[in-house]
């Protein structure tokens, strides 16, 4: 029995290739339930906030995985898109390193979700350096 594909991640050669680890678009397959995930930050289950952008990025992605798994899916099969907010350009290398490490686990074939990244003036708390909102698809 063939496994149902929940998200088809796509890039087109009609525009410039992605600048990083993302696809241009993600198409949701019929039969999947769309899960909109609130922005996740670098707080561990005990409430502790990672002290740097790398740690906050990794923890935010782990939090996204926990939400997807709680709804019956996996990031590898269902993560469609991310919206990453970072509070400084100087933090971008550490954010990209964190994303790269987690994506290497989740997407070893390089089939990355769509991702928008922007530098923002600030987040809800001064100690928050990264916030990542996302959309996933889980079995419907």
């Amino acid at each position: 029995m063939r496994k149902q594909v929940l998200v088809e991640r796509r890039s087109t050669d009609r525009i410039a290739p992605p600048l990083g680890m993302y696809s241009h678009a993600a198409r949701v397959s019929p039969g999947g339930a769309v899960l909109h995930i609130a922005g996740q930050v670098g707080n561990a289950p005990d409430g502790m906030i990672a002290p740097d952008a790398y740690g906050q990025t990794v923890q935010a992605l782990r939090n996204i995985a926990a939400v997807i798994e709680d709804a019956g899916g996996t990031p590898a099969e269902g993560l469609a898109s991310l919206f990453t907010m970072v509070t400084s350009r100087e933090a971008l290398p550490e954010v990209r390193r964190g994303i790269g490490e987690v994506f290497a686990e989740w997407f070893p074939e390089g089939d990355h979700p769509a991702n928008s990244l922007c530098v923002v003036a600030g987040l809800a708390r001064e100690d928050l350096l990264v916030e990542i909102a996302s959309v996933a698809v889980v079995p419907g």
Side-chain angles (χ1 to χ4, degrees):
M1 183 168 142
R2 186 173 172 205
K3 190 172 187 175
Q4 177 186 9
V5 175
L6 297 174
V7 177
E8 178 189 355
R9 298 176 188 101
R10 307 169 54 99
S11 289
T12 176
D13 59 4
R14 296 183 63 201
I15 62 176
L19 297 174
M21 293 173 288
Y22 64 90
S23 296
H24 289 134
R27 182 187 339 204
V28 175
S29 300
V34 178
L35 185 66
H36 294 269
I37 302 169
Q40 296 298 306
V41 295
N43 60 328
D46 65 3
M48 295 299 295
I49 302 287
D52 57 18
Y54 166 79
Q56 289 189 25
T57 300
V58 170
Q59 186 61 55
L61 291 169
R62 299 281 180 233
N63 293 345
I64 289 167
V67 172
I68 294 169
E69 291 162 0
D70 189 63
T74 68
E77 294 174 347
L79 189 57
S81 66
L82 302 168
F83 180 69
T84 305
M85 296 162 276
V86 183
T87 59
S88 75
R89 279 185 169 64
E90 294 75 28
L92 290 177
E94 291 301 297
V95 170
R96 289 185 176 115
R97 182 168 71 95
I99 290 171
E101 288 180 12
V102 174
F103 277 16
E105 295 172 25
W106 291 353
F107 312 107
E109 304 298 319
D111 184 27
H112 302 120
N115 187 10
S116 294
L117 184 145
C118 65
V119 177
V120 297
L123 296 169
R125 289 180 19 187
E126 194 172 304
D127 57 345
L128 298 175
L129 307 173
V130 179
E131 182 171 338
I132 307 173
S134 57
V135 176
V137 181
V138 295

